[in-house]
Amino acid sequence: MTFEMRTYTSTEGRMEDLLTRFRDHTLQLFTEHGIQSLGYWHPVDQDDVLVYLVQHEGDPEANWEAFRTDPRWLKARAASTENG
């Protein structure tokens, strides 16, 4: 089992869009690809930063590769970045 803390910086003013993408698409796909979400935080002084902790079942690199190449993820990411 591997734990990983990640930091995501959104485009200024787009954090709500990022959170919507996580809720509507990313979390389910994480689970399907062996990535369990453990927690999400916003630093109090950085409105456009999301810090999150995940746990990997199996090989983290293989999990990320499967997630990144999933057609559903590619479609959700493209849709959420259409307007910048």
Side-chain angles (χ1 to χ4, degrees):
M1 202 177 321
T2 303
F3 295 90
E4 181 178 10
M5 182 175 285
R6 298 179 67 90
T7 301
Y8 193 112
T9 302
S10 72
T11 302
E12 187 174 337
R14 299 294 306 267
M15 181 55 73
E16 196 55 44
D17 295 326
L18 175 66
L19 296 176
T20 298
R21 185 174 75 197
F22 264 81
R23 279 189 300 267
D24 294 350
H25 304 284
T26 305
L27 297 176
Q28 179 181 346
L29 292 171
F30 274 3
T31 300
E32 291 180 24
H33 294 294
I35 305 168
Q36 180 183 357
S37 295
L38 300 176
Y40 291 80
W41 300 269
H42 290 284
V44 295
D45 60 343
Q46 297 174 307
D47 293 337
D48 296 323
V49 173
L50 177 66
V51 178
Y52 59 100
L53 181 65
V54 295
Q55 173 186 333
H56 291 274
E57 298 296 330
D59 177 27
E61 289 182 31
N63 293 349
W64 284 121
E65 182 63 22
F67 171 77
R68 278 192 296 270
T69 60
D70 188 306
R72 297 167 297 171
W73 162 244
L74 296 171
K75 182 179 176 181
R77 188 183 77 190
S80 70
T81 60
E82 284 178 351
N83 297 317

